[in-house]
Amino acid sequence: MGTHATHIVWDWNGTLFHDTDAVMGATNAAFAELGLPPITLERYRELYCVPVPRFYERLMGRLPTDAEWLVMDEAFHRHYAAHRPACGLAEGAERLLESWQLAGRSQSILSLYGHDELMPLVRGFGIEARFLRVDGRTGPSGGSKSEHMVRHLAALAAGPSGALWPEGPGGPGGSNGAGRIAPVDPGRTVVIGDAVDDAVAARHAGAHAVLYTGGSHSRSSLAAAGVPVVDTLAEAVEMAEEIAA
């Protein structure tokens, strides 16, 4: 394949991985440890934003102190880990990933979820061979995705040597055909995610974005990003094909 083709960068939490129940359970458990009242899913989706300390500012009326942030972040991740095993892939996600790959197109994952936690999850669902690259967060939590997106797309543009599956079936020349996929062009790349930050990161890296209402944001919050907003991942993939053509 000698020309650039449409590439999808998938978000993980709230997009491919339907973890809304785990997020809400962990959020309210973390709030309880600081004496904050629980919130509903509707209020969460209206207020949620990245960086996460800004989300807490919207709830508390002020930014959390450094000490409060550390307590809340640790509590959230501890409770999330307990709730996570009950969660699965979003409806239709596995079929969409397979169809995109079988059509000779490329895809990857970029997430702010910790890299060491993300990789076993992707492998556990048996979908690792669908992706050229999988990148989770390697630094402190609470930041934005923009610079991560730039590095992610730069690694993909470098070709198969940038793949993160050298030892597995999704590595260069493996069963996902990474060695035959055209180089990734940011201008032909579409980020599919559930947060405004996904659109901000895409714009920062010169890519397009489609936002999905099944995760962390309300439709009205997502609409403010100025990119297409859809209600299903199938619609997101269809839109990706159109806007990157």
Side-chain angles (χ1 to χ4, degrees):
M1 190 179 296
T3 59
H4 292 287
T6 302
H7 177 84
I8 291 177
V9 177
W10 293 96
D11 173 57
W12 181 250
N13 301 93
T15 304
L16 285 179
F17 188 50
H18 185 63
D19 61 348
T20 302
D21 289 344
V23 168
M24 290 307 302
T27 297
N28 283 326
F31 285 179
E33 293 197 16
L34 283 181
L36 297 174
I39 63 171
T40 63
L41 175 59
E42 290 72 25
R43 182 162 171 76
Y44 180 94
R45 284 176 164 166
E46 285 297 331
L47 297 180
Y48 183 76
C49 64
V50 174
V52 176
R54 290 284 307 279
F55 168 54
Y56 290 137
E57 180 183 21
R58 291 180 173 186
L59 286 164
M60 300 168 64
R62 61 175 176 81
L63 278 170
T65 66
D66 290 345
E68 287 172 332
W69 163 249
L70 289 175
V71 170
M72 295 173 84
D73 189 51
E74 186 280 330
F76 173 85
H77 285 96
R78 173 163 39 85
H79 289 288
Y80 178 85
H83 286 84
R84 187 188 67 196
C87 301
L89 294 177
E91 182 178 358
E94 193 167 1
R95 177 182 53 79
L96 289 169
L97 295 174
E98 180 183 24
S99 297
W100 189 261
Q101 180 191 29
L102 291 178
R105 295 161 173 156
S106 62
Q107 54 198 335
S108 58
I109 292 175
L110 178 63
S111 175
L112 290 180
Y113 191 45
H115 187 75
D116 291 341
E117 291 78 29
L118 174 63
M119 298 292 267
L121 266 179
V122 174
R123 285 194 173 102
F125 284 114
I127 58 174
E128 71 270 24
R130 307 295 181 202
F131 307 102
L132 292 185
R133 186 176 180 92
V134 175
D135 281 331
R137 173 183 49 79
T138 57
S141 62
S144 173
K145 192 178 273 188
S146 293
E147 294 304 321
H148 297 295
M149 185 69 70
V150 171
R151 290 192 294 270
H152 183 76
L153 292 182
L156 287 166
S161 62
L164 276 190
W165 300 108
E167 80 288 7
S175 64
N176 69 348
R180 299 187 298 277
I181 293 291
V184 172
D185 173 9
R188 297 292 306 279
T189 295
V190 179
V191 178
I192 297 178
D194 70 314
V196 172
D197 191 52
D198 291 303
V200 172
R203 188 176 300 118
H204 184 75
H208 306 275
V210 176
L211 298 181
Y212 162 62
T213 62
S216 61
H217 280 43
S218 66
R219 173 175 278 277
S220 60
S221 298
L222 295 176
V227 302
V229 178
V230 298
D231 296 318
T232 68
L233 294 185
E235 291 176 280
V237 171
E238 290 175 9
M239 187 65 68
E241 292 183 89
E242 294 178 13
I243 65 179

